[in-house]
Amino acid sequence: MSHPDNCLFCKIAAGAIPSRKVYEDDELFAFHDIHPAAPVHFLLIPKLHIDSLAQAGPEHAAILGRMTLLAPRLALEQGCNPYPEGGFRTVINTGAEGGQEVHHLHMHVMGGPRPWLRG
Ligand code: 5GP
Ligand code: ZN
């Protein structure tokens, strides 16, 4: 399940491929999406390589919880307006039919004034 040697997001989390960093700690990394679909659009990933949400197990409950709880804080820091008038969208695409293109689990966080480019 782990292919960190040829995984784009593992390389981004390690700094081997440059990105516009939003946040980093021991377990998590966040960076701006290269093709933003909204005024604010960043990706939040575990540094640990997990292919997708389909491969997540009970051992990943804490990291998934941390990602979910970090998203609102980073969304505000990146310029999303506050709930309820503002807010943001979180999306985890899983598998080909789920629209997943990069096979390292990631959460899209999108927000800002509408209209957005997509969605
Ligand atoms: P997915 O379709 O897998 O849910 O989302 C992958 C996202 O990664 C896409 O929104 C795409 O724009 C973004 N992306 C792909 N390659 C790169 C890259 O090299 N750098 C950054 N910052 N984003 C990327
Ligand atoms: Zn990876």
Side-chain angles (χ1 to χ4, degrees), residues 44-112:
L44 180 53
I45 68 173
K47 287 185 172 177
L48 175 73
H49 181 94
I50 307 169
D51 283 352
S52 83
L53 200 55
Q55 282 74 39
E59 69 274 26
H60 302 120
I63 194 96
L64 290 169
R66 287 203 59 225
M67 282 173 65
T68 306
L69 293 174
L70 184 60
R73 187 188 119 194
L74 296 184
L76 285 175
E77 286 178 9
Q78 292 304 312
C80 292
N81 294 309
Y83 177 93
E85 292 82 6
F88 56 90
R89 173 179 292 177
T90 50
V91 174
I92 301 177
N93 295 323
T94 303
E97 292 183 348
Q100 185 180 8
E101 293 178 353
V102 178
H103 291 265
H104 178 130
L105 194 158
H106 54 279
M107 177 186 285
H108 295 256
V109 183
M110 292 164 276

Side-chain angles (χ1 to χ4, degrees), residues 8-9 31-35 43 93 99-102 106 108:
L8 174 64
F9 285 180
F31 56 102
H32 290 281
D33 196 293
I34 205 165
H35 292 128
L43 303 172
N93 295 323
Q100 185 180 8
E101 293 178 353
V102 178
H106 54 279
H108 295 256

